[in-house]
Amino acid sequence: MNLVLQGVGNCKARLERIAALTASANLTWLGDSAVRCEGIAFSTALSQTIEVAAQAAQLDTTYSIGLHKMSDYKLVAMDMDSTLITIECIDEIADMQGLKPQVAEITEAAMRGELDFAESLKRRVALLEGLDASALERVYDERLQLSPGAETMLKAVQAAGLKTLLVSGGFTFFTERLKKRLGLDYTNANELEIVGGKLTGKVVGGIVDAEEKKRTVERVCEELGISPSQAIVMGDGANDLKMMSISGMSVAFRAKPVVREQANVALNFVGLDGILPLLT
């Protein structure tokens, strides 16, 4: 069994301290912020000890059998809100209506898996009725930021020839701009209905919910002639679990507990580029 430990910045002293707990005689340093401990004798007790110590040291831990290579994968699929970007776009749009607390509460419950996503989206979008469409541009220009490590990760996987998919329960207004800005290959998201320059409180067509996210990953894989096991899928909320479940590597990024528990990889401290030390 192998274990990759990683943190932010030069954290070599912390990495050495936690790596010592594994009793591994074979450490491979991946710069000053990541180390792979190879051939460790895995046990539940050891895992629990390492997890507690790593959490206290603000280090992420990823266990694997064998080594994973970048060439094992052909697609990286990402959720948008709170994964590729730091915000929930609908919450920020609602802030323009003075309704952010009400909408954010529904968003949070949906991401925890406590509400049906499609129904929760309809409820939230309905609250935006009458808002001037220029609010979308303001959110993009003033509030949207990429998550830490996003550009580094994307440049690395794109240079290696992997295709990229942004699939979101958010909105096409944002996914299409990010597609152009970041050179992404595929996108799928919900389209807000706009009439006379104002939001109607409705979406156009079907809703991109958990099932549609999964179908999107499957469709893109079929188009590329690959298996979903050759896809890396990243997300943070309960509506990402279905698409993550069919992937070869599922990555929970700053995710809700229900997502962290089911993912192969949980990145709580490092950026999205935290997948790179996992791929030799």
Side-chain angles (χ1 to χ4, degrees):
M1 179 73 75
N2 297 327
L3 168 66
V4 172
L5 298 165
Q6 54 181 323
V8 177
N10 187 339
C11 51
K12 197 166 184 178
R14 283 179 285 145
L15 291 168
E16 288 175 335
R17 188 169 72 251
I18 307 305
L21 298 175
T22 71
S24 171
N26 191 357
L27 300 182
T28 300
W29 286 93
L30 309 166
D32 291 327
S33 57
V35 63
R36 184 170 63 244
C37 311
E38 300 176 18
I40 65 175
F42 181 85
S43 70
T44 301
L46 177 62
S47 173
Q48 289 175 342
T49 298
I50 291 172
E51 289 300 320
V52 171
Q55 181 76 16
Q58 295 191 320
L59 300 176
D60 285 323
T61 60
T62 304
Y63 292 91
S64 69
I65 297 174
L67 299 177
H68 297 274
K69 303 186 295 293
M70 184 80 80
S71 59
D72 293 336
Y73 302 96
K74 305 300 179 185
L75 174 70
V76 174
M78 303 156 283
D79 171 52
M80 180 174 67
D81 297 83
S82 297
T83 302
L84 181 63
I85 64 176
T86 61
I87 62 171
E88 292 285 337
C89 289
I90 193 166
D91 294 355
E92 301 307 319
I93 298 168
D95 198 28
M96 305 294 180
Q97 287 277 63
L99 294 171
K100 185 173 181 177
Q102 296 94 310
V103 170
E105 184 178 356
I106 300 172
T107 300
E108 191 68 16
M111 293 304 100
R112 291 194 301 263
E114 297 168 5
L115 296 175
D116 174 74
F117 180 82
E119 197 55 43
S120 77
L121 184 70
K122 290 177 184 176
R123 284 173 56 190
R124 287 176 286 163
V125 171
L127 293 170
L128 306 179
E129 182 180 1
L131 182 65
D132 195 290
S134 63
L136 303 179
E137 195 72 52
R138 284 188 58 200
V139 170
Y140 183 83
D141 290 341
E142 299 172 13
R143 304 191 182 188
L144 187 147
Q145 293 184 351
L146 296 176
S147 291
E151 289 185 282
T152 300
M153 179 274 294
L154 284 170
K155 286 176 181 176
V157 300
Q158 289 168 333
L162 280 69
K163 298 297 184 181
T164 50
L165 162 65
L166 183 59
V167 55
S168 174
F171 307 116
T172 56
F173 182 91
F174 302 101
T175 58
E176 291 308 303
R177 281 161 176 74
L178 288 168
K179 180 181 182 181
K180 182 177 180 180
R181 172 177 167 185
L182 299 171
L184 306 178
D185 297 294
Y186 304 92
T187 61
N188 189 16
N190 299 296
E191 183 179 354
L192 287 168
E193 185 178 64
I194 299 173
V195 176
K198 295 187 179 297
L199 304 186
T200 66
K202 299 176 183 178
V203 295
V204 178
I207 289 177
V208 180
D209 57 7
E211 191 60 43
E212 176 58 18
K213 284 189 167 189
K214 177 186 172 185
R215 285 194 296 264
T216 301
V217 173
E218 290 172 335
R219 283 196 300 267
V220 171
C221 286
E222 185 175 0
E223 181 177 328
L224 294 173
I226 65 172
S227 163
S229 65
Q230 293 173 283
I232 298 170
V233 179
M234 304 173 164
D236 73 293
N239 64 322
D240 298 316
L241 284 171
K242 287 188 176 181
M243 68 172 180
M244 292 170 68
S245 72
I246 63 172
S247 69
M249 179 185 287
S250 56
V251 181
F253 182 71
R254 308 284 200 275
K256 304 297 181 287
V258 66
V259 182
R260 291 200 303 268
E261 290 163 7
Q262 297 183 46
N264 304 132
V265 178
L267 303 179
N268 302 313
F269 301 108
V270 301
L272 286 173
D273 54 345
I275 68 165
L276 301 179
L278 309 179
L279 303 169
T280 58

